[in-house]
mmCIF file of all heavy atoms in Angstrom:
data_model
loop_
_atom_site.group_PDB
_atom_site.id
_atom_site.type_symbol
_atom_site.label_atom_id
_atom_site.label_comp_id
_atom_site.label_asym_id
_atom_site.label_seq_id
_atom_site.Cartn_x
_atom_site.Cartn_y
_atom_site.Cartn_z
ATOM 1 N N ILE A 290 5.528 -22.241 25.206
ATOM 2 C CA ILE A 290 6.519 -21.510 26.002
ATOM 3 C C ILE A 290 7.430 -20.706 25.074
ATOM 4 O O ILE A 290 7.907 -21.217 24.063
ATOM 5 C CB ILE A 290 7.371 -22.498 26.828
ATOM 6 C CG1 ILE A 290 6.454 -23.251 27.782
ATOM 7 C CG2 ILE A 290 8.456 -21.775 27.618
ATOM 8 C CD1 ILE A 290 7.114 -24.403 28.463
ATOM 9 N N GLY A 291 7.644 -19.458 25.430
ATOM 10 C CA GLY A 291 8.576 -18.616 24.667
ATOM 11 C C GLY A 291 8.892 -17.384 25.485
ATOM 12 O O GLY A 291 8.261 -17.137 26.512
ATOM 13 N N CYS A 292 9.850 -16.611 25.022
ATOM 14 C CA CYS A 292 10.223 -15.380 25.735
ATOM 15 C C CYS A 292 10.068 -14.206 24.785
ATOM 16 O O CYS A 292 10.297 -14.350 23.584
ATOM 17 C CB CYS A 292 11.680 -15.437 26.167
ATOM 18 S SG CYS A 292 12.004 -16.799 27.269
ATOM 19 N N GLY A 293 9.741 -13.056 25.315
ATOM 20 C CA GLY A 293 9.634 -11.833 24.509
ATOM 21 C C GLY A 293 8.644 -12.038 23.378
ATOM 22 O O GLY A 293 7.521 -12.516 23.576
ATOM 23 N N THR A 294 9.093 -11.725 22.187
ATOM 24 C CA THR A 294 8.224 -11.860 21.016
ATOM 25 C C THR A 294 7.728 -13.296 20.851
ATOM 26 O O THR A 294 6.557 -13.532 20.536
ATOM 27 C CB THR A 294 9.008 -11.383 19.760
ATOM 28 O OG1 THR A 294 9.205 -9.974 19.905
ATOM 29 C CG2 THR A 294 8.267 -11.661 18.491
ATOM 30 N N ALA A 295 8.611 -14.256 21.081
ATOM 31 C CA ALA A 295 8.203 -15.661 20.930
ATOM 32 C C ALA A 295 7.107 -16.016 21.948
ATOM 33 O O ALA A 295 6.233 -16.848 21.673
ATOM 34 C CB ALA A 295 9.417 -16.571 21.101
ATOM 35 N N GLY A 296 7.149 -15.376 23.115
ATOM 36 C CA GLY A 296 6.091 -15.578 24.117
ATOM 37 C C GLY A 296 4.763 -15.036 23.612
ATOM 38 O O GLY A 296 3.698 -15.629 23.825
ATOM 39 N N LYS A 297 4.820 -13.895 22.906
ATOM 40 C CA LYS A 297 3.577 -13.312 22.351
ATOM 41 C C LYS A 297 3.033 -14.224 21.254
ATOM 42 O O LYS A 297 1.825 -14.395 21.111
ATOM 43 C CB LYS A 297 3.839 -11.910 21.783
ATOM 44 C CG LYS A 297 4.483 -10.941 22.763
ATOM 45 C CD LYS A 297 3.632 -10.711 24.005
ATOM 46 C CE LYS A 297 4.362 -9.911 25.045
ATOM 47 N NZ LYS A 297 5.223 -10.696 25.965
ATOM 48 N N VAL A 298 3.942 -14.828 20.495
ATOM 49 C CA VAL A 298 3.499 -15.788 19.468
ATOM 50 C C VAL A 298 2.740 -16.936 20.140
ATOM 51 O O VAL A 298 1.690 -17.381 19.668
ATOM 52 C CB VAL A 298 4.707 -16.336 18.663
ATOM 53 C CG1 VAL A 298 4.303 -17.500 17.779
ATOM 54 C CG2 VAL A 298 5.334 -15.225 17.837
ATOM 55 N N ILE A 338 8.777 -22.215 21.654
ATOM 56 C CA ILE A 338 8.815 -21.380 20.450
ATOM 57 C C ILE A 338 10.036 -20.465 20.573
ATOM 58 O O ILE A 338 10.162 -19.733 21.548
ATOM 59 C CB ILE A 338 7.511 -20.547 20.350
ATOM 60 C CG1 ILE A 338 6.301 -21.489 20.351
ATOM 61 C CG2 ILE A 338 7.509 -19.654 19.117
ATOM 62 C CD1 ILE A 338 5.009 -20.822 20.763
ATOM 63 N N SER A 339 10.917 -20.525 19.586
ATOM 64 C CA SER A 339 12.150 -19.737 19.696
ATOM 65 C C SER A 339 12.789 -19.559 18.324
ATOM 66 O O SER A 339 12.855 -20.509 17.546
ATOM 67 C CB SER A 339 13.126 -20.460 20.624
ATOM 68 O OG SER A 339 14.365 -19.820 20.637
ATOM 69 N N GLN A 340 13.220 -18.369 18.037
ATOM 70 C CA GLN A 340 13.978 -18.147 16.803
ATOM 71 C C GLN A 340 15.323 -18.842 16.911
ATOM 72 O O GLN A 340 15.672 -19.680 16.111
ATOM 73 C CB GLN A 340 14.155 -16.637 16.580
ATOM 74 C CG GLN A 340 14.748 -16.242 15.243
ATOM 75 C CD GLN A 340 16.227 -16.504 15.070
ATOM 76 O OE1 GLN A 340 16.655 -17.095 14.068
ATOM 77 N NE2 GLN A 340 17.050 -16.115 16.021
ATOM 78 N N SER A 341 16.089 -18.470 17.946
ATOM 79 C CA SER A 341 17.479 -18.930 18.054
ATOM 80 C C SER A 341 17.594 -20.387 18.482
ATOM 81 O O SER A 341 18.549 -21.067 18.158
ATOM 82 C CB SER A 341 18.216 -18.064 19.071
ATOM 83 O OG SER A 341 17.599 -18.192 20.343
ATOM 84 N N GLY A 342 16.621 -20.827 19.284
ATOM 85 C CA GLY A 342 16.741 -22.150 19.892
ATOM 86 C C GLY A 342 17.780 -22.182 20.996
ATOM 87 O O GLY A 342 18.204 -23.254 21.441
ATOM 88 N N GLU A 343 18.220 -21.001 21.452
ATOM 89 C CA GLU A 343 19.281 -20.941 22.468
ATOM 90 C C GLU A 343 18.864 -20.125 23.686
ATOM 91 O O GLU A 343 19.700 -19.901 24.565
ATOM 92 C CB GLU A 343 20.561 -20.324 21.883
ATOM 93 C CG GLU A 343 21.139 -21.040 20.683
ATOM 94 C CD GLU A 343 21.677 -22.436 21.007
ATOM 95 O OE1 GLU A 343 21.811 -22.777 22.203
ATOM 96 O OE2 GLU A 343 21.929 -23.190 20.054
ATOM 97 N N THR A 344 17.648 -19.638 23.760
ATOM 98 C CA THR A 344 17.241 -18.738 24.844
ATOM 99 C C THR A 344 17.282 -19.484 26.182
ATOM 100 O O THR A 344 16.569 -20.482 26.373
ATOM 101 C CB THR A 344 15.840 -18.188 24.545
ATOM 102 O OG1 THR A 344 15.932 -17.496 23.307
ATOM 103 C CG2 THR A 344 15.345 -17.244 25.621
ATOM 104 N N ALA A 345 18.102 -18.978 27.112
ATOM 105 C CA ALA A 345 18.370 -19.718 28.351
ATOM 106 C C ALA A 345 17.090 -19.981 29.148
ATOM 107 O O ALA A 345 16.916 -21.071 29.700
ATOM 108 C CB ALA A 345 19.367 -18.944 29.204
ATOM 109 N N THR A 347 14.067 -20.410 28.124
ATOM 110 C CA THR A 347 13.266 -21.483 27.509
ATOM 111 C C THR A 347 13.973 -22.826 27.679
ATOM 112 O O THR A 347 13.332 -23.860 27.925
ATOM 113 C CB THR A 347 12.998 -21.156 26.018
ATOM 114 O OG1 THR A 347 12.556 -19.806 25.925
ATOM 115 C CG2 THR A 347 11.942 -22.067 25.434
ATOM 116 N N ILE A 364 9.641 -25.306 18.146
ATOM 117 C CA ILE A 364 9.443 -24.641 16.854
ATOM 118 C C ILE A 364 10.566 -23.615 16.781
ATOM 119 O O ILE A 364 10.538 -22.608 17.498
ATOM 120 C CB ILE A 364 8.052 -23.975 16.780
ATOM 121 C CG1 ILE A 364 6.955 -25.032 16.948
ATOM 122 C CG2 ILE A 364 7.880 -23.209 15.468
ATOM 123 C CD1 ILE A 364 5.535 -24.487 16.991
ATOM 124 N N VAL A 365 11.592 -23.898 15.997
ATOM 125 C CA VAL A 365 12.816 -23.083 16.008
ATOM 126 C C VAL A 365 13.252 -22.745 14.585
ATOM 127 O O VAL A 365 12.862 -23.405 13.630
ATOM 128 C CB VAL A 365 13.987 -23.803 16.729
ATOM 129 C CG1 VAL A 365 13.782 -23.870 18.205
ATOM 130 C CG2 VAL A 365 14.226 -25.178 16.152
ATOM 131 N N VAL A 367 16.741 -22.144 13.993
ATOM 132 C CA VAL A 367 18.161 -22.472 13.801
ATOM 133 C C VAL A 367 18.373 -23.980 13.897
ATOM 134 O O VAL A 367 18.208 -24.585 14.966
ATOM 135 C CB VAL A 367 19.060 -21.705 14.797
ATOM 136 C CG1 VAL A 367 20.524 -22.080 14.607
ATOM 137 C CG2 VAL A 367 18.884 -20.203 14.612
ATOM 138 N N MET A 372 17.900 -26.124 21.617
ATOM 139 C CA MET A 372 16.488 -26.453 21.867
ATOM 140 C C MET A 372 16.009 -27.584 20.960
ATOM 141 O O MET A 372 15.346 -28.513 21.400
ATOM 142 C CB MET A 372 15.650 -25.206 21.619
ATOM 143 C CG MET A 372 14.463 -25.065 22.527
ATOM 144 S SD MET A 372 13.733 -23.448 22.341
ATOM 145 C CE MET A 372 14.891 -22.402 23.206
ATOM 146 N N GLU A 387 18.010 -14.912 10.657
ATOM 147 C CA GLU A 387 17.407 -13.625 11.059
ATOM 148 C C GLU A 387 18.487 -12.874 11.829
ATOM 149 O O GLU A 387 18.893 -13.314 12.905
ATOM 150 C CB GLU A 387 16.169 -13.860 11.928
ATOM 151 C CG GLU A 387 15.377 -12.591 12.160
ATOM 152 C CD GLU A 387 14.152 -12.820 13.039
ATOM 153 O OE1 GLU A 387 14.335 -13.075 14.251
ATOM 154 O OE2 GLU A 387 13.031 -12.735 12.538
ATOM 155 N N ALA A 389 18.772 -9.118 12.270
ATOM 156 C CA ALA A 389 18.409 -7.947 13.083
ATOM 157 C C ALA A 389 18.082 -8.464 14.480
ATOM 158 O O ALA A 389 17.520 -9.559 14.614
ATOM 159 C CB ALA A 389 17.211 -7.239 12.492
ATOM 160 N N VAL A 390 18.431 -7.697 15.495
ATOM 161 C CA VAL A 390 18.206 -8.191 16.858
ATOM 162 C C VAL A 390 16.722 -8.467 17.106
ATOM 163 O O VAL A 390 16.358 -9.466 17.720
ATOM 164 C CB VAL A 390 18.794 -7.183 17.880
ATOM 165 C CG1 VAL A 390 18.187 -7.393 19.250
ATOM 166 C CG2 VAL A 390 20.308 -7.367 17.955
ATOM 167 N N CYS A 391 15.845 -7.595 16.604
ATOM 168 C CA CYS A 391 14.418 -7.855 16.876
ATOM 169 C C CYS A 391 13.882 -8.859 15.864
ATOM 170 O O CYS A 391 14.291 -8.886 14.702
ATOM 171 C CB CYS A 391 13.628 -6.563 16.870
ATOM 172 S SG CYS A 391 13.448 -5.883 15.259
ATOM 173 N N SER A 392 12.979 -9.675 16.349
ATOM 174 C CA SER A 392 12.441 -10.736 15.507
ATOM 175 C C SER A 392 11.295 -10.193 14.660
ATOM 176 O O SER A 392 10.417 -9.492 15.154
ATOM 177 C CB SER A 392 11.955 -11.883 16.390
ATOM 178 O OG SER A 392 11.538 -12.939 15.567
ATOM 179 N N THR A 393 11.311 -10.508 13.368
ATOM 180 C CA THR A 393 10.210 -10.070 12.481
ATOM 181 C C THR A 393 9.712 -11.253 11.644
ATOM 182 O O THR A 393 8.660 -11.811 11.918
ATOM 183 C CB THR A 393 10.682 -8.922 11.549
ATOM 184 O OG1 THR A 393 11.869 -9.337 10.859
ATOM 185 C CG2 THR A 393 10.926 -7.648 12.327
ATOM 186 N N VAL A 395 10.596 -14.313 11.497
ATOM 187 C CA VAL A 395 10.395 -15.598 12.181
ATOM 188 C C VAL A 395 9.107 -15.557 13.012
ATOM 189 O O VAL A 395 8.429 -16.572 13.191
ATOM 190 C CB VAL A 395 11.634 -15.957 13.039
ATOM 191 C CG1 VAL A 395 11.389 -17.219 13.852
ATOM 192 C CG2 VAL A 395 12.843 -16.165 12.132
ATOM 193 N N THR A 396 8.733 -14.352 13.474
ATOM 194 C CA THR A 396 7.495 -14.219 14.258
ATOM 195 C C THR A 396 6.297 -14.685 13.432
ATOM 196 O O THR A 396 5.488 -15.508 13.882
ATOM 197 C CB THR A 396 7.309 -12.734 14.658
ATOM 198 O OG1 THR A 396 8.494 -12.278 15.277
ATOM 199 C CG2 THR A 396 6.120 -12.553 15.572
ATOM 200 N N GLN A 399 6.335 -18.375 12.761
ATOM 201 C CA GLN A 399 5.897 -19.191 13.914
ATOM 202 C C GLN A 399 4.370 -19.172 14.062
ATOM 203 O O GLN A 399 3.754 -20.197 14.367
ATOM 204 C CB GLN A 399 6.557 -18.663 15.194
ATOM 205 C CG GLN A 399 8.049 -18.955 15.257
ATOM 206 C CD GLN A 399 8.782 -18.107 16.284
ATOM 207 O OE1 GLN A 399 8.323 -17.028 16.658
ATOM 208 N NE2 GLN A 399 9.926 -18.575 16.730
ATOM 209 N N GLU A 467 2.919 -7.431 21.372
ATOM 210 C CA GLU A 467 4.092 -7.569 20.505
ATOM 211 C C GLU A 467 4.412 -6.231 19.837
ATOM 212 O O GLU A 467 5.589 -5.845 19.736
ATOM 213 C CB GLU A 467 3.836 -8.674 19.465
ATOM 214 C CG GLU A 467 4.754 -8.701 18.262
ATOM 215 C CD GLU A 467 6.246 -8.771 18.609
ATOM 216 O OE1 GLU A 467 6.600 -8.994 19.779
ATOM 217 O OE2 GLU A 467 7.050 -8.552 17.682
ATOM 218 N N ILE A 470 6.373 -4.203 22.194
ATOM 219 C CA ILE A 470 7.795 -4.608 22.276
ATOM 220 C C ILE A 470 8.567 -3.970 21.123
ATOM 221 O O ILE A 470 9.645 -3.408 21.304
ATOM 222 C CB ILE A 470 7.977 -6.149 22.201
ATOM 223 C CG1 ILE A 470 7.350 -6.855 23.384
ATOM 224 C CG2 ILE A 470 9.462 -6.510 22.098
ATOM 225 C CD1 ILE A 470 7.641 -8.355 23.440
ATOM 226 N N LYS A 471 7.987 -4.031 19.923
ATOM 227 C CA LYS A 471 8.699 -3.483 18.756
ATOM 228 C C LYS A 471 8.965 -1.991 18.938
ATOM 229 O O LYS A 471 10.043 -1.495 18.618
ATOM 230 C CB LYS A 471 7.884 -3.714 17.471
ATOM 231 C CG LYS A 471 7.898 -5.144 16.981
ATOM 232 C CD LYS A 471 9.245 -5.534 16.408
ATOM 233 C CE LYS A 471 9.500 -7.018 16.433
ATOM 234 N NZ LYS A 471 9.692 -7.624 17.737
ATOM 235 N N GLU A 474 11.756 -1.525 21.681
ATOM 236 C CA GLU A 474 13.144 -1.967 21.464
ATOM 237 C C GLU A 474 13.819 -1.331 20.253
ATOM 238 O O GLU A 474 15.042 -1.281 20.197
ATOM 239 C CB GLU A 474 13.223 -3.495 21.363
ATOM 240 C CG GLU A 474 12.614 -4.058 20.116
ATOM 241 C CD GLU A 474 12.694 -5.572 20.020
ATOM 242 O OE1 GLU A 474 13.579 -6.170 20.617
ATOM 243 O OE2 GLU A 474 11.838 -6.147 19.324
ATOM 244 N N VAL A 475 13.038 -0.857 19.279
ATOM 245 C CA VAL A 475 13.703 -0.319 18.077
ATOM 246 C C VAL A 475 13.767 1.224 18.123
ATOM 247 O O VAL A 475 14.851 1.777 18.151
ATOM 248 C CB VAL A 475 13.065 -0.885 16.787
ATOM 249 C CG1 VAL A 475 13.929 -0.546 15.584
ATOM 250 C CG2 VAL A 475 12.914 -2.403 16.889
ATOM 251 N N LEU A 582 20.583 -4.652 24.043
ATOM 252 C CA LEU A 582 19.990 -5.944 23.662
ATOM 253 C C LEU A 582 20.985 -6.823 22.920
ATOM 254 O O LEU A 582 22.041 -6.367 22.502
ATOM 255 C CB LEU A 582 18.776 -5.708 22.753
ATOM 256 C CG LEU A 582 17.553 -5.087 23.411
ATOM 257 C CD1 LEU A 582 16.537 -4.706 22.352
ATOM 258 C CD2 LEU A 582 16.936 -6.053 24.402
ATOM 259 N N ALA A 583 20.631 -8.070 22.770
ATOM 260 C CA ALA A 583 21.412 -8.985 21.929
ATOM 261 C C ALA A 583 20.444 -9.988 21.332
ATOM 262 O O ALA A 583 19.356 -10.196 21.863
ATOM 263 C CB ALA A 583 22.462 -9.712 22.745
ATOM 264 N N LYS A 584 20.836 -10.574 20.222
ATOM 265 C CA LYS A 584 19.907 -11.439 19.496
ATOM 266 C C LYS A 584 19.550 -12.703 20.262
ATOM 267 O O LYS A 584 18.391 -13.056 20.367
ATOM 268 C CB LYS A 584 20.512 -11.794 18.135
ATOM 269 C CG LYS A 584 19.632 -12.654 17.255
ATOM 270 C CD LYS A 584 18.505 -11.844 16.681
ATOM 271 C CE LYS A 584 17.587 -12.617 15.776
ATOM 272 N NZ LYS A 584 16.278 -11.946 15.662
ATOM 273 N N SER A 585 20.555 -13.414 20.744
ATOM 274 C CA SER A 585 20.132 -14.627 21.448
ATOM 275 C C SER A 585 20.529 -14.504 22.913
ATOM 276 O O SER A 585 21.679 -14.239 23.245
ATOM 277 C CB SER A 585 20.647 -15.895 20.786
ATOM 278 O OG SER A 585 22.007 -15.958 20.775
ATOM 279 N N VAL A 586 19.507 -14.649 23.752
ATOM 280 C CA VAL A 586 19.667 -14.316 25.168
ATOM 281 C C VAL A 586 20.008 -15.601 25.924
ATOM 282 O O VAL A 586 19.134 -16.324 26.407
ATOM 283 C CB VAL A 586 18.382 -13.635 25.705
ATOM 284 C CG1 VAL A 586 18.582 -13.178 27.134
ATOM 285 C CG2 VAL A 586 18.027 -12.449 24.831
HETATM 286 C C1 F6R B 601 12.040 -9.067 20.227
HETATM 287 C C2 F6R B 601 12.851 -10.258 20.282
HETATM 288 C C3 F6R B 601 12.985 -10.968 21.586
HETATM 289 C C4 F6R B 601 13.032 -12.491 21.338
HETATM 290 C C5 F6R B 601 13.295 -13.248 22.656
HETATM 291 C C6 F6R B 601 13.309 -14.739 22.442
HETATM 292 O O1 F6R B 601 11.951 -8.577 18.920
HETATM 293 O O2 F6R B 601 13.418 -10.656 19.307
HETATM 294 O O3 F6R B 601 11.977 -10.628 22.471
HETATM 295 O O4 F6R B 601 11.811 -12.883 20.797
HETATM 296 O O5 F6R B 601 14.525 -12.840 23.184
HETATM 297 O O6 F6R B 601 14.280 -15.113 21.515
HETATM 298 P P1 F6R B 601 14.198 -16.500 20.765
HETATM 299 O O7 F6R B 601 13.046 -16.429 19.823
HETATM 300 O O8 F6R B 601 15.506 -16.622 20.058
HETATM 301 O O9 F6R B 601 13.992 -17.539 21.810
#
Side-chain angles (χ1 to χ4, degrees):
I290 298 170
C292 299
T294 292
K297 306 300 172 274
V298 170
I338 303 159
S339 173
Q340 188 286 130
S341 61
E343 302 293 348
T344 300
T347 313
I364 300 176
V365 289
V367 179
M372 215 170 285
E387 190 181 70
V390 161
C391 71
S392 185
T393 53
V395 175
T396 308
Q399 289 163 337
E467 164 55 10
I470 296 187
K471 286 289 156 291
E474 70 180 334
V475 191
L582 291 171
K584 182 74 179 159
S585 62
V586 185

